[in-house]
PDB file of all heavy atoms in Angstrom:
ATOM      1  N   ASP P   1      45.392  15.877 -43.728  1.00 93.00           N
ATOM      2  CA  ASP P   1      44.119  16.737 -43.885  1.00 93.00           C
ATOM      3  C   ASP P   1      43.195  15.951 -44.781  1.00 93.00           C
ATOM      4  O   ASP P   1      43.596  14.980 -45.473  1.00 93.00           O
ATOM      5  CB  ASP P   1      44.554  18.057 -44.457  1.00 93.00           C
ATOM      6  CG  ASP P   1      43.446  19.125 -44.057  1.00 93.00           C
ATOM      7  OD1 ASP P   1      42.439  18.775 -43.675  1.00 93.00           O
ATOM      8  OD2 ASP P   1      43.904  20.331 -44.158  1.00 93.00           O
ATOM      9  N   ILE P   2      41.901  16.363 -44.843  1.00 93.00           N
ATOM     10  CA  ILE P   2      40.941  15.719 -45.744  1.00 93.00           C
ATOM     11  C   ILE P   2      41.181  16.164 -47.272  1.00 93.00           C
ATOM     12  O   ILE P   2      41.475  17.324 -47.535  1.00 93.00           O
ATOM     13  CB  ILE P   2      39.669  16.235 -45.295  1.00 93.00           C
ATOM     14  CG1 ILE P   2      39.367  15.827 -43.888  1.00 93.00           C
ATOM     15  CG2 ILE P   2      38.488  15.624 -46.106  1.00 93.00           C
ATOM     16  CD1 ILE P   2      38.115  16.418 -43.092  1.00 93.00           C
ATOM     17  N   LYS P   3      41.200  15.168 -48.050  1.00 93.00           N
ATOM     18  CA  LYS P   3      41.300  15.423 -49.461  1.00 93.00           C
ATOM     19  C   LYS P   3      40.119  16.054 -50.093  1.00 93.00           C
ATOM     20  O   LYS P   3      38.997  15.816 -49.747  1.00 93.00           O
ATOM     21  CB  LYS P   3      41.603  14.173 -50.144  1.00 93.00           C
ATOM     22  CG  LYS P   3      42.868  13.406 -49.790  1.00 93.00           C
ATOM     23  CD  LYS P   3      43.138  12.246 -50.622  1.00 93.00           C
ATOM     24  CE  LYS P   3      44.504  11.577 -50.164  1.00 93.00           C
ATOM     25  NZ  LYS P   3      45.670  12.469 -50.403  1.00 93.00           N
ATOM     26  N   LEU P   4      40.381  17.022 -51.034  1.00 93.00           N
ATOM     27  CA  LEU P   4      39.344  17.790 -51.581  1.00 93.00           C
ATOM     28  C   LEU P   4      39.065  17.303 -53.158  1.00 93.00           C
ATOM     29  O   LEU P   4      38.239  18.036 -53.743  1.00 93.00           O
ATOM     30  CB  LEU P   4      39.784  19.138 -51.707  1.00 93.00           C
ATOM     31  CG  LEU P   4      40.089  19.856 -50.382  1.00 93.00           C
ATOM     32  CD1 LEU P   4      40.646  21.344 -50.577  1.00 93.00           C
ATOM     33  CD2 LEU P   4      38.955  19.780 -49.298  1.00 93.00           C
ATOM     34  N   ASP P   5      39.559  16.231 -53.538  1.00 92.00           N
ATOM     35  CA  ASP P   5      39.489  15.873 -54.948  1.00 92.00           C
ATOM     36  C   ASP P   5      37.970  15.613 -55.439  1.00 92.00           C
ATOM     37  O   ASP P   5      37.715  15.746 -56.548  1.00 92.00           O
ATOM     38  CB  ASP P   5      40.271  14.492 -54.997  1.00 92.00           C
ATOM     39  CG  ASP P   5      41.739  14.624 -54.695  1.00 92.00           C
ATOM     40  OD1 ASP P   5      42.105  15.693 -54.522  1.00 92.00           O
ATOM     41  OD2 ASP P   5      42.527  13.607 -54.811  1.00 92.00           O
ATOM     42  N   ASN P   6      37.301  15.106 -54.441  1.00 92.00           N
ATOM     43  CA  ASN P   6      35.831  14.719 -54.882  1.00 92.00           C
ATOM     44  C   ASN P   6      34.717  15.778 -54.451  1.00 92.00           C
ATOM     45  O   ASN P   6      33.616  15.319 -54.372  1.00 92.00           O
ATOM     46  CB  ASN P   6      35.586  13.352 -54.359  1.00 92.00           C
ATOM     47  CG  ASN P   6      36.417  12.232 -54.885  1.00 92.00           C
ATOM     48  OD1 ASN P   6      36.706  12.287 -56.105  1.00 92.00           O
ATOM     49  ND2 ASN P   6      36.926  11.378 -54.087  1.00 92.00           N
ATOM     50  N   GLN P   7      35.219  16.882 -53.863  1.00 95.00           N
ATOM     51  CA  GLN P   7      34.060  17.665 -53.400  1.00 95.00           C
ATOM     52  C   GLN P   7      33.254  18.415 -54.621  1.00 95.00           C
ATOM     53  O   GLN P   7      33.843  18.520 -55.753  1.00 95.00           O
ATOM     54  CB  GLN P   7      34.786  18.928 -52.655  1.00 95.00           C
ATOM     55  CG  GLN P   7      35.695  19.856 -53.565  1.00 95.00           C
ATOM     56  CD  GLN P   7      36.376  21.034 -52.816  1.00 95.00           C
ATOM     57  OE1 GLN P   7      36.273  21.061 -51.514  1.00 95.00           O
ATOM     58  NE2 GLN P   7      36.987  21.973 -53.441  1.00 95.00           N
ATOM     59  N   ARG P   8      32.033  18.568 -54.412  1.00 95.00           N
ATOM     60  CA  ARG P   8      31.196  19.133 -55.452  1.00 95.00           C
ATOM     61  C   ARG P   8      31.273  20.605 -55.547  1.00 95.00           C
ATOM     62  O   ARG P   8      31.661  21.257 -54.467  1.00 95.00           O
ATOM     63  CB  ARG P   8      29.668  18.708 -55.130  1.00 95.00           C
ATOM     64  CG  ARG P   8      29.047  19.262 -53.865  1.00 95.00           C
ATOM     65  CD  ARG P   8      27.660  18.725 -53.631  1.00 95.00           C
ATOM     66  NE  ARG P   8      27.138  19.110 -52.430  1.00 95.00           N
ATOM     67  CZ  ARG P   8      26.380  20.246 -52.305  1.00 95.00           C
ATOM     68  NH1 ARG P   8      26.061  21.029 -53.331  1.00 95.00           N
ATOM     69  NH2 ARG P   8      25.935  20.652 -51.124  1.00 95.00           N
ATOM     70  N   PRO P   9      30.982  21.124 -56.617  1.00 94.00           N
ATOM     71  CA  PRO P   9      31.275  22.650 -56.727  1.00 94.00           C
ATOM     72  C   PRO P   9      30.187  23.390 -56.022  1.00 94.00           C
ATOM     73  O   PRO P   9      29.045  22.936 -55.684  1.00 94.00           O
ATOM     74  CB  PRO P   9      31.019  22.840 -58.263  1.00 94.00           C
ATOM     75  CG  PRO P   9      30.214  21.712 -58.779  1.00 94.00           C
ATOM     76  CD  PRO P   9      30.673  20.498 -57.858  1.00 94.00           C
ATOM     77  N   ALA P  10      30.511  24.724 -55.655  1.00 90.00           N
ATOM     78  CA  ALA P  10      29.654  25.532 -54.784  1.00 90.00           C
ATOM     79  C   ALA P  10      28.355  25.792 -55.548  1.00 90.00           C
ATOM     80  O   ALA P  10      28.410  26.027 -56.827  1.00 90.00           O
ATOM     81  CB  ALA P  10      30.341  26.792 -54.558  1.00 90.00           C
ATOM     82  N   GLU P  11      27.334  25.976 -54.795  1.00 88.00           N
ATOM     83  CA  GLU P  11      26.071  26.517 -55.380  1.00 88.00           C
ATOM     84  C   GLU P  11      25.649  27.706 -54.728  1.00 88.00           C
ATOM     85  O   GLU P  11      25.907  27.934 -53.543  1.00 88.00           O
ATOM     86  CB  GLU P  11      24.819  25.425 -55.211  1.00 88.00           C
ATOM     87  CG  GLU P  11      25.100  24.158 -55.770  1.00 88.00           C
ATOM     88  CD  GLU P  11      23.947  23.052 -55.401  1.00 88.00           C
ATOM     89  OE1 GLU P  11      22.880  23.630 -55.165  1.00 88.00           O
ATOM     90  OE2 GLU P  11      24.212  21.854 -55.562  1.00 88.00           O
ATOM     91  N   TYR P  12      25.132  28.665 -55.452  1.00 84.00           N
ATOM     92  CA  TYR P  12      24.817  30.066 -55.017  1.00 84.00           C
ATOM     93  C   TYR P  12      23.408  30.311 -54.978  1.00 84.00           C
ATOM     94  O   TYR P  12      22.745  30.641 -55.991  1.00 84.00           O
ATOM     95  CB  TYR P  12      25.632  31.088 -55.802  1.00 84.00           C
ATOM     96  CG  TYR P  12      27.040  30.998 -55.754  1.00 84.00           C
ATOM     97  CD1 TYR P  12      27.705  30.127 -56.711  1.00 84.00           C
ATOM     98  CD2 TYR P  12      27.862  31.264 -54.575  1.00 84.00           C
ATOM     99  CE1 TYR P  12      29.200  29.965 -56.732  1.00 84.00           C
ATOM    100  CE2 TYR P  12      29.178  30.998 -54.437  1.00 84.00           C
ATOM    101  CZ  TYR P  12      29.895  30.372 -55.471  1.00 84.00           C
ATOM    102  OH  TYR P  12      31.131  30.146 -55.389  1.00 84.00           O
ATOM    103  N   VAL P  13      22.880  30.247 -53.786  1.00 82.00           N
ATOM    104  CA  VAL P  13      21.295  30.183 -53.647  1.00 82.00           C
ATOM    105  C   VAL P  13      20.863  31.439 -52.807  1.00 82.00           C
ATOM    106  O   VAL P  13      19.610  31.531 -52.550  1.00 82.00           O
ATOM    107  CB  VAL P  13      20.838  28.894 -53.044  1.00 82.00           C
ATOM    108  CG1 VAL P  13      21.220  27.650 -53.981  1.00 82.00           C
ATOM    109  CG2 VAL P  13      21.516  28.725 -51.591  1.00 82.00           C
ATOM    110  N   PHE P  14      21.756  32.348 -52.366  1.00 78.00           N
ATOM    111  CA  PHE P  14      21.378  33.267 -51.417  1.00 78.00           C
ATOM    112  C   PHE P  14      20.290  34.136 -52.017  1.00 78.00           C
ATOM    113  O   PHE P  14      19.295  34.552 -51.397  1.00 78.00           O
ATOM    114  CB  PHE P  14      22.568  34.176 -50.981  1.00 78.00           C
ATOM    115  CG  PHE P  14      22.260  35.286 -50.238  1.00 78.00           C
ATOM    116  CD1 PHE P  14      21.965  35.300 -48.961  1.00 78.00           C
ATOM    117  CD2 PHE P  14      22.288  36.664 -50.744  1.00 78.00           C
ATOM    118  CE1 PHE P  14      21.657  36.301 -48.108  1.00 78.00           C
ATOM    119  CE2 PHE P  14      22.067  37.702 -50.105  1.00 78.00           C
ATOM    120  CZ  PHE P  14      21.737  37.655 -48.722  1.00 78.00           C
ATOM    121  N   SER P  15      20.419  34.544 -53.249  1.00 79.00           N
ATOM    122  CA  SER P  15      19.486  35.566 -53.893  1.00 79.00           C
ATOM    123  C   SER P  15      18.062  34.921 -54.027  1.00 79.00           C
ATOM    124  O   SER P  15      17.124  35.729 -53.904  1.00 79.00           O
ATOM    125  CB  SER P  15      19.920  35.905 -55.284  1.00 79.00           C
ATOM    126  OG  SER P  15      20.195  34.849 -56.154  1.00 79.00           O
ATOM    127  N   ARG P  16      17.905  33.679 -54.159  1.00 82.00           N
ATOM    128  CA  ARG P  16      16.742  32.951 -54.342  1.00 82.00           C
ATOM    129  C   ARG P  16      16.047  32.989 -52.995  1.00 82.00           C
ATOM    130  O   ARG P  16      14.744  33.201 -52.924  1.00 82.00           O
ATOM    131  CB  ARG P  16      17.004  31.497 -54.729  1.00 82.00           C
ATOM    132  CG  ARG P  16      15.571  30.753 -54.935  1.00 82.00           C
ATOM    133  CD  ARG P  16      15.703  29.410 -55.645  1.00 82.00           C
ATOM    134  NE  ARG P  16      16.189  28.514 -54.610  1.00 82.00           N
ATOM    135  CZ  ARG P  16      17.262  27.856 -54.718  1.00 82.00           C
ATOM    136  NH1 ARG P  16      18.112  28.061 -55.724  1.00 82.00           N
ATOM    137  NH2 ARG P  16      17.762  26.945 -53.883  1.00 82.00           N
ATOM    138  N   HIS P  17      16.641  32.772 -51.703  1.00 79.00           N
ATOM    139  CA  HIS P  17      16.046  32.786 -50.545  1.00 79.00           C
ATOM    140  C   HIS P  17      15.670  34.255 -50.238  1.00 79.00           C
ATOM    141  O   HIS P  17      14.516  34.534 -49.689  1.00 79.00           O
ATOM    142  CB  HIS P  17      17.167  32.383 -49.470  1.00 79.00           C
ATOM    143  CG  HIS P  17      17.571  30.999 -49.559  1.00 79.00           C
ATOM    144  ND1 HIS P  17      16.670  29.976 -49.780  1.00 79.00           N
ATOM    145  CD2 HIS P  17      18.717  30.399 -49.431  1.00 79.00           C
ATOM    146  CE1 HIS P  17      17.271  28.806 -49.767  1.00 79.00           C
ATOM    147  NE2 HIS P  17      18.504  29.052 -49.591  1.00 79.00           N
ATOM    148  N   VAL P  18      16.467  35.276 -50.636  1.00 82.00           N
ATOM    149  CA  VAL P  18      16.077  36.613 -50.454  1.00 82.00           C
ATOM    150  C   VAL P  18      14.769  37.018 -51.160  1.00 82.00           C
ATOM    151  O   VAL P  18      13.849  37.618 -50.671  1.00 82.00           O
ATOM    152  CB  VAL P  18      17.245  37.548 -50.666  1.00 82.00           C
ATOM    153  CG1 VAL P  18      16.693  39.078 -50.596  1.00 82.00           C
ATOM    154  CG2 VAL P  18      18.255  37.331 -49.645  1.00 82.00           C
ATOM    155  N   GLU P  19      14.780  36.544 -52.419  1.00 85.00           N
ATOM    156  CA  GLU P  19      13.611  36.857 -53.282  1.00 85.00           C
ATOM    157  C   GLU P  19      12.405  36.230 -52.750  1.00 85.00           C
ATOM    158  O   GLU P  19      11.311  36.879 -52.790  1.00 85.00           O
ATOM    159  CB  GLU P  19      13.904  36.392 -54.710  1.00 85.00           C
ATOM    160  CG  GLU P  19      12.789  36.544 -55.737  1.00 85.00           C
ATOM    161  CD  GLU P  19      13.036  35.936 -57.071  1.00 85.00           C
ATOM    162  OE1 GLU P  19      14.117  35.577 -57.298  1.00 85.00           O
ATOM    163  OE2 GLU P  19      12.090  35.909 -57.914  1.00 85.00           O
ATOM    164  N   GLN P  20      12.413  34.940 -52.269  1.00 85.00           N
ATOM    165  CA  GLN P  20      11.182  34.362 -51.833  1.00 85.00           C
ATOM    166  C   GLN P  20      10.805  35.046 -50.421  1.00 85.00           C
ATOM    167  O   GLN P  20       9.629  35.150 -50.225  1.00 85.00           O
ATOM    168  CB  GLN P  20      11.541  32.880 -51.449  1.00 85.00           C
ATOM    169  CG  GLN P  20      11.742  32.065 -52.818  1.00 85.00           C
ATOM    170  CD  GLN P  20      12.155  30.727 -52.513  1.00 85.00           C
ATOM    171  OE1 GLN P  20      12.712  30.145 -51.471  1.00 85.00           O
ATOM    172  NE2 GLN P  20      12.043  29.797 -53.516  1.00 85.00           N
ATOM    173  N   ALA P  21      11.732  35.304 -49.646  1.00 83.00           N
ATOM    174  CA  ALA P  21      11.366  36.071 -48.301  1.00 83.00           C
ATOM    175  C   ALA P  21      10.743  37.341 -48.599  1.00 83.00           C
ATOM    176  O   ALA P  21       9.835  37.708 -47.907  1.00 83.00           O
ATOM    177  CB  ALA P  21      12.708  36.170 -47.460  1.00 83.00           C
ATOM    178  N   MET P  22      11.243  38.134 -49.566  1.00 86.00           N
ATOM    179  CA  MET P  22      10.623  39.474 -49.857  1.00 86.00           C
ATOM    180  C   MET P  22       9.131  39.359 -50.423  1.00 86.00           C
ATOM    181  O   MET P  22       8.340  40.063 -50.096  1.00 86.00           O
ATOM    182  CB  MET P  22      11.486  40.146 -50.902  1.00 86.00           C
ATOM    183  CG  MET P  22      12.868  40.624 -50.349  1.00 86.00           C
ATOM    184  SD  MET P  22      12.672  41.761 -49.017  1.00 86.00           S
ATOM    185  CE  MET P  22      12.031  43.200 -49.889  1.00 86.00           C
ATOM    186  N   LYS P  23       8.975  38.166 -51.232  1.00 88.00           N
ATOM    187  CA  LYS P  23       7.575  37.906 -51.674  1.00 88.00           C
ATOM    188  C   LYS P  23       6.649  37.564 -50.645  1.00 88.00           C
ATOM    189  O   LYS P  23       5.493  38.111 -50.545  1.00 88.00           O
ATOM    190  CB  LYS P  23       7.630  36.818 -52.789  1.00 88.00           C
ATOM    191  CG  LYS P  23       8.121  37.111 -54.189  1.00 88.00           C
ATOM    192  CD  LYS P  23       8.005  35.832 -55.032  1.00 88.00           C
ATOM    193  CE  LYS P  23       8.458  36.226 -56.437  1.00 88.00           C
ATOM    194  NZ  LYS P  23       8.322  35.125 -57.327  1.00 88.00           N
ATOM    195  N   ARG P  24       7.071  36.896 -49.607  1.00 86.00           N
ATOM    196  CA  ARG P  24       6.363  36.580 -48.472  1.00 86.00           C
ATOM    197  C   ARG P  24       5.955  37.822 -47.608  1.00 86.00           C
ATOM    198  O   ARG P  24       4.847  37.973 -47.203  1.00 86.00           O
ATOM    199  CB  ARG P  24       7.029  35.522 -47.612  1.00 86.00           C
ATOM    200  CG  ARG P  24       7.104  34.041 -48.055  1.00 86.00           C
ATOM    201  CD  ARG P  24       7.628  33.144 -47.121  1.00 86.00           C
ATOM    202  NE  ARG P  24       7.939  31.800 -47.660  1.00 86.00           N
ATOM    203  CZ  ARG P  24       9.033  31.446 -48.000  1.00 86.00           C
ATOM    204  NH1 ARG P  24      10.204  32.203 -48.004  1.00 86.00           N
ATOM    205  NH2 ARG P  24       9.067  30.244 -48.569  1.00 86.00           N
ATOM    206  N   ILE P  25       6.934  38.580 -47.370  1.00 87.00           N
ATOM    207  CA  ILE P  25       6.810  39.861 -46.655  1.00 87.00           C
ATOM    208  C   ILE P  25       5.808  40.750 -47.339  1.00 87.00           C
ATOM    209  O   ILE P  25       4.892  41.347 -46.598  1.00 87.00           O
ATOM    210  CB  ILE P  25       8.136  40.489 -46.318  1.00 87.00           C
ATOM    211  CG1 ILE P  25       9.036  39.818 -45.433  1.00 87.00           C
ATOM    212  CG2 ILE P  25       7.967  41.922 -45.721  1.00 87.00           C
ATOM    213  CD1 ILE P  25      10.438  40.182 -45.325  1.00 87.00           C
ATOM    214  N   LYS P  26       5.973  40.948 -48.626  1.00 85.00           N
ATOM    215  CA  LYS P  26       5.061  41.714 -49.369  1.00 85.00           C
ATOM    216  C   LYS P  26       3.601  41.249 -49.411  1.00 85.00           C
ATOM    217  O   LYS P  26       2.567  41.863 -49.375  1.00 85.00           O
ATOM    218  CB  LYS P  26       5.567  41.974 -50.828  1.00 85.00           C
ATOM    219  CG  LYS P  26       6.859  42.818 -50.969  1.00 85.00           C
ATOM    220  CD  LYS P  26       7.376  42.833 -52.219  1.00 85.00           C
ATOM    221  CE  LYS P  26       6.470  43.576 -53.301  1.00 85.00           C
ATOM    222  NZ  LYS P  26       7.250  43.599 -54.617  1.00 85.00           N
ATOM    223  N   ALA P  27       3.438  39.912 -49.332  1.00 87.00           N
ATOM    224  CA  ALA P  27       2.171  39.143 -49.405  1.00 87.00           C
ATOM    225  C   ALA P  27       1.471  39.133 -47.858  1.00 87.00           C
ATOM    226  O   ALA P  27       0.474  38.524 -47.811  1.00 87.00           O
ATOM    227  CB  ALA P  27       2.203  38.012 -50.028  1.00 87.00           C
ATOM    228  N   GLY P  28       2.388  39.439 -46.903  1.00 84.00           N
ATOM    229  CA  GLY P  28       1.856  39.367 -45.466  1.00 84.00           C
ATOM    230  C   GLY P  28       1.963  37.991 -45.101  1.00 84.00           C
ATOM    231  O   GLY P  28       1.197  37.633 -44.103  1.00 84.00           O
ATOM    232  N   LYS P  29       2.729  37.159 -45.653  1.00 79.00           N
ATOM    233  CA  LYS P  29       2.711  35.714 -45.184  1.00 79.00           C
ATOM    234  C   LYS P  29       3.838  35.466 -44.219  1.00 79.00           C
ATOM    235  O   LYS P  29       4.891  36.212 -44.099  1.00 79.00           O
ATOM    236  CB  LYS P  29       3.010  34.908 -46.496  1.00 79.00           C
ATOM    237  CG  LYS P  29       1.836  34.794 -47.463  1.00 79.00           C
ATOM    238  CD  LYS P  29       2.142  33.938 -48.749  1.00 79.00           C
ATOM    239  CE  LYS P  29       0.974  33.882 -49.649  1.00 79.00           C
ATOM    240  NZ  LYS P  29      -0.124  33.039 -49.149  1.00 79.00           N
ATOM    241  N   LYS P  30       3.779  34.448 -43.492  1.00 78.00           N
ATOM    242  CA  LYS P  30       4.864  33.959 -42.674  1.00 78.00           C
ATOM    243  C   LYS P  30       5.974  33.189 -43.434  1.00 78.00           C
ATOM    244  O   LYS P  30       5.897  32.867 -44.499  1.00 78.00           O
ATOM    245  CB  LYS P  30       4.285  32.966 -41.551  1.00 78.00           C
ATOM    246  CG  LYS P  30       3.156  33.763 -40.701  1.00 78.00           C
ATOM    247  CD  LYS P  30       2.649  32.783 -39.692  1.00 78.00           C
ATOM    248  CE  LYS P  30       1.566  33.405 -38.740  1.00 78.00           C
ATOM    249  NZ  LYS P  30       1.098  32.460 -37.733  1.00 78.00           N
ATOM    250  N   PRO P  31       7.249  33.036 -42.721  1.00 78.00           N
ATOM    251  CA  PRO P  31       8.296  32.628 -43.441  1.00 78.00           C
ATOM    252  C   PRO P  31       8.208  31.233 -44.218  1.00 78.00           C
ATOM    253  O   PRO P  31       8.758  30.992 -45.246  1.00 78.00           O
ATOM    254  CB  PRO P  31       9.401  32.476 -42.333  1.00 78.00           C
ATOM    255  CG  PRO P  31       8.990  33.537 -41.403  1.00 78.00           C
ATOM    256  CD  PRO P  31       7.574  33.591 -41.367  1.00 78.00           C
ATOM    257  N   HIS P  32       7.245  30.356 -43.594  1.00 72.00           N
ATOM    258  CA  HIS P  32       7.121  29.021 -44.205  1.00 72.00           C
ATOM    259  C   HIS P  32       5.922  28.883 -44.991  1.00 72.00           C
ATOM    260  O   HIS P  32       5.586  27.729 -45.471  1.00 72.00           O
ATOM    261  CB  HIS P  32       7.278  27.962 -43.127  1.00 72.00           C
ATOM    262  CG  HIS P  32       8.684  27.872 -42.517  1.00 72.00           C
ATOM    263  ND1 HIS P  32       9.648  27.599 -43.262  1.00 72.00           N
ATOM    264  CD2 HIS P  32       9.070  27.996 -41.327  1.00 72.00           C
ATOM    265  CE1 HIS P  32      10.819  27.527 -42.439  1.00 72.00           C
ATOM    266  NE2 HIS P  32      10.372  27.773 -41.248  1.00 72.00           N
ATOM    267  N   GLU P  33       5.170  29.924 -45.188  1.00 71.00           N
ATOM    268  CA  GLU P  33       3.978  29.787 -46.007  1.00 71.00           C
ATOM    269  C   GLU P  33       4.348  29.803 -47.453  1.00 71.00           C
ATOM    270  O   GLU P  33       5.190  30.511 -47.906  1.00 71.00           O
ATOM    271  CB  GLU P  33       2.980  30.928 -45.753  1.00 71.00           C
ATOM    272  CG  GLU P  33       2.391  30.803 -44.279  1.00 71.00           C
ATOM    273  CD  GLU P  33       1.428  31.884 -43.976  1.00 71.00           C
ATOM    274  OE1 GLU P  33       1.558  33.068 -44.343  1.00 71.00           O
ATOM    275  OE2 GLU P  33       0.269  31.574 -43.411  1.00 71.00           O
ATOM    276  N   ASP P  34       3.488  29.231 -48.272  1.00 67.00           N
ATOM    277  CA  ASP P  34       3.720  29.093 -49.715  1.00 67.00           C
ATOM    278  C   ASP P  34       3.666  30.413 -50.332  1.00 67.00           C
ATOM    279  O   ASP P  34       2.784  31.268 -50.129  1.00 67.00           O
ATOM    280  CB  ASP P  34       2.701  28.089 -50.366  1.00 67.00           C
ATOM    281  CG  ASP P  34       2.897  27.780 -51.788  1.00 67.00           C
ATOM    282  OD1 ASP P  34       3.920  28.094 -52.224  1.00 67.00           O
ATOM    283  OD2 ASP P  34       2.014  27.283 -52.477  1.00 67.00           O
ATOM    284  N   VAL P  35       4.632  30.622 -51.132  1.00 59.00           N
ATOM    285  CA  VAL P  35       4.605  32.018 -51.888  1.00 59.00           C
ATOM    286  C   VAL P  35       4.134  31.917 -53.299  1.00 59.00           C
ATOM    287  O   VAL P  35       4.390  32.763 -54.104  1.00 59.00           O
ATOM    288  CB  VAL P  35       5.985  32.516 -51.826  1.00 59.00           C
ATOM    289  CG1 VAL P  35       6.481  32.903 -50.432  1.00 59.00           C
ATOM    290  CG2 VAL P  35       7.062  31.563 -52.429  1.00 59.00           C
ATOM    291  N   ALA P  36       3.596  30.600 -53.642  1.00 54.00           N
ATOM    292  CA  ALA P  36       3.139  30.520 -55.012  1.00 54.00           C
ATOM    293  C   ALA P  36       2.162  31.595 -55.453  1.00 54.00           C
ATOM    294  O   ALA P  36       2.131  31.976 -56.648  1.00 54.00           O
ATOM    295  CB  ALA P  36       2.600  29.140 -55.359  1.00 54.00           C
ATOM    296  N   ASP P  37       1.276  31.963 -54.522  1.00 44.00           N
ATOM    297  CA  ASP P  37       0.310  32.916 -54.845  1.00 44.00           C
ATOM    298  C   ASP P  37       0.706  34.337 -54.423  1.00 44.00           C
ATOM    299  O   ASP P  37      -0.108  35.299 -54.683  1.00 44.00           O
ATOM    300  CB  ASP P  37      -1.095  32.459 -54.092  1.00 44.00           C
ATOM    301  CG  ASP P  37      -1.610  31.143 -54.526  1.00 44.00           C
ATOM    302  OD1 ASP P  37      -1.381  30.757 -55.664  1.00 44.00           O
ATOM    303  OD2 ASP P  37      -2.044  30.515 -53.731  1.00 44.00           O
TER     304      ASP P  37
END
């Protein structure tokens, strides 16, 4: 089997994606439009 000794730790980014998506929806923007504004 593949060795796991050098695997990098998990990152948890789901909440960030959801937060950005909700901002876009509230602003009437499309999924890939900038949400800075």
Side-chain angles (χ1 to χ4, degrees):
D1 211 340
I2 299 169
K3 294 185 180 299
L4 305 178
D5 301 357
N6 296 318
Q7 65 181 7
R8 65 186 175 93
E11 298 178 24
Y12 298 96
V13 297
F14 175 73
S15 59
R16 184 173 75 242
H17 294 317
V18 171
E19 180 183 352
Q20 291 174 340
M22 291 298 293
K23 284 184 176 181
R24 291 188 183 98
I25 291 170
K26 291 172 70 174
K29 292 177 177 286
K30 295 181 179 179
H32 292 302
E33 289 184 318
D34 187 9
V35 294
D37 299 325

